[in-house]
Amino acid sequence: MLRLLASGCVRALGAGGGARGLPTTGLCDPWRSLSSQASDLPFNQPPSSEFVARSVGVCSMMRLPVQTSPEGLDAAFVGVPLDIGTSNRPGARFGPRRIREESVMIRRVNPSTGALPFQSLMVADLGDVNVNLYNLQDSCRLIRGAYEKIVAAGCIPLTLGGDHTITYPILQAVAKKHGPVGLVHVDAHMDTADKALGEKLYHGTPFRRCMDEGLLDCKRVVQIGIRGSSVTVDPYRYSRSQGFRVVLAEDCWMKSLVPLMGEVRQQLGGKPMYISFDIDGLDPAYAPGTGTPEIAGLTPSQALEIIRGCQGLNVVGCDLVEVSPLYDPSGNTALLAANLLFEMLCALPKVKTV
């Protein structure tokens, strides 16, 4: 059985659910309020604020139905509330919950790209992986096991983190099905350290561990937004020695990243690839709610250019990590994260555009 805990206080789907997973019972059911609209649609649809107040319903990503199994889904949002791999400010365990809260503003269609994700894919919220907050190794085991089931079901996971350690076990599961994958990694940091305080597993090492196990197609790895002070003169040596393309934040200042993503698209080709987006890739002026902020980062518009530049690629999974709501009471960091996850959904294969 998939070891996931449903978000909020109910498990909305299961035995007795309606056609294609739409729930048909319950005293307070926002999907029923869509009346005849729901019965005419073959896929799950976020409730429209024209019919259902945004404050109504269980707290799920975009107010989508919550279910405990990936069966029958093309894509799913999954929370991994883990932050015991954090090296500086904790709090990313609360990221998934706050991202879901802020996602209430997101609507069904992306008019900028023409993407119609909810008319193309069956999407739901699978709740949270049941991590072990007292044991990082065991948490990685639990994450890997949960994602193996998700990927085996043909469901593309879109992950709400959680610190960046979680990408390692997720990629273990993804590579088990797809083989070594390409990677678009947006971050202020390389996350290719070998160890710290004698430990080889924390949020600064996930891509080093992935390389150790052959999970990445190293000629198809791009790291964007890298910056900040370092303990060595050449902190990029390991990544470049492995064949990664490293794009420093200063090389992105004051320019559109559309040309860069044109080059990235050619580099990645049509083989399976994964998007891993650390929110600290953005400047802390836009995303202060994170554990290891670095000045002079990317802008939200550049983030959109990167994700939209992946549209049409063979995206087999995505994550948005390191949102720590404690350091941004306004909720703007989580709001930004929710929108970036929506953009990732819109960039998935088989999403129709108009």
Side-chain angles (χ1 to χ4, degrees):
M1 178 180 180
L2 187 61
R3 296 194 64 177
L4 298 175
L5 294 183
S7 172
C9 60
V10 301
R11 299 176 186 267
L13 298 184
R20 297 305 299 268
L22 287 171
T24 58
T25 61
L27 177 63
C28 182
D29 190 343
W31 294 278
R32 291 193 68 183
S33 300
L34 294 176
S35 62
S36 61
Q37 286 194 340
S39 62
D40 297 333
L41 296 171
F43 301 111
N44 292 336
Q45 302 285 317
S48 169
S49 59
E50 296 177 273
F51 304 98
V52 182
R54 286 196 170 99
S55 57
V56 170
V58 173
C59 184
S60 66
M61 188 65 180
M62 295 185 64
R63 298 189 294 168
L64 285 163
V66 178
Q67 67 183 65
T68 56
S69 169
E71 297 298 330
L73 297 179
D74 300 303
F77 294 101
V78 188
V80 185
L82 181 75
D83 63 2
I84 60 174
T86 304
S87 60
N88 191 37
R89 305 188 304 192
R93 68 181 65 181
F94 303 113
R97 184 173 298 177
R98 190 60 191 269
I99 292 170
R100 287 182 173 107
E101 289 175 358
E102 297 298 336
S103 72
V104 70
M105 278 294 295
I106 304 175
R107 303 167 184 89
R108 303 176 186 177
V109 177
N110 189 333
S112 297
T113 65
L116 305 171
F118 300 107
Q119 296 182 33
S120 311
L121 307 174
M122 179 61 82
V123 188
D125 189 328
L126 284 178
D128 293 333
V129 176
N130 184 19
V131 296
N132 183 346
L133 292 177
Y134 308 118
N135 188 316
L136 189 55
Q137 293 280 357
D138 190 46
S139 285
C140 287
R141 179 187 63 83
L142 293 168
I143 295 165
R144 181 176 64 251
Y147 276 78
E148 284 176 354
K149 292 179 173 65
I150 293 169
V151 174
C155 177
I156 299 176
L158 299 104
T159 301
L160 294 64
D163 73 56
H164 220 152
T165 312
I166 70 175
T167 303
Y168 165 53
I170 293 172
L171 284 175
Q172 286 180 313
V174 169
K176 182 177 181 179
K177 177 173 182 176
H178 297 285
V181 295
L183 176 70
V184 171
H185 170 211
V186 182
D187 204 321
H189 312 99
M190 311 294 291
D191 291 354
T192 54
D194 187 33
K195 60 184 177 180
L197 303 178
E199 299 296 327
K200 296 177 76 70
L201 187 60
Y202 77 107
H203 74 163
T205 65
F207 300 113
R208 185 68 161 255
R209 301 288 78 85
C210 287
M211 288 300 297
D212 289 346
E213 298 181 18
L215 308 180
L216 298 176
D217 181 353
C218 59
K219 299 299 182 183
R220 299 172 54 242
V221 175
V222 182
Q223 298 181 296
I224 305 172
I226 308 300
R227 62 189 189 279
S229 55
S230 173
V231 297
T232 65
V233 175
D234 186 6
Y236 325 116
R237 179 180 298 175
Y238 174 81
S239 285
R240 287 172 171 161
S241 72
Q242 301 303 307
F244 298 0
R245 178 172 183 174
V246 179
V247 182
L248 303 182
E250 54 216 67
D251 295 328
C252 301
W253 292 345
M254 309 300 178
K255 66 176 66 171
S256 168
L257 300 188
V258 170
L260 168 66
M261 291 310 297
E263 298 173 5
V264 169
R265 290 173 63 84
Q266 289 187 337
Q267 180 179 349
L268 268 64
K271 297 180 181 179
M273 57 84 64
Y274 186 90
I275 302 171
S276 186
F277 201 115
D278 188 325
I279 201 68
D280 71 27
L282 301 183
D283 191 277
Y286 305 106
T290 192
T292 49
E294 304 281 2
I295 67 166
L298 303 177
T299 67
S301 58
Q302 289 175 318
L304 294 183
E305 289 176 327
I306 293 169
I307 297 172
R308 291 174 181 178
C310 295
Q311 190 170 21
L313 295 177
N314 187 9
V315 182
V316 296
C318 314
D319 64 52
L320 191 294
V321 298
E322 298 286 357
V323 172
S324 187
L326 305 177
Y327 306 104
D328 184 6
S330 73
N332 283 345
T333 305
L335 176 65
L336 180 52
N339 278 272
L340 295 180
L341 283 158
F342 172 67
E343 292 285 341
M344 292 177 191
L345 175 66
C346 292
L348 295 185
K350 298 183 182 180
V351 171
K352 301 172 185 177
T353 58
V354 293

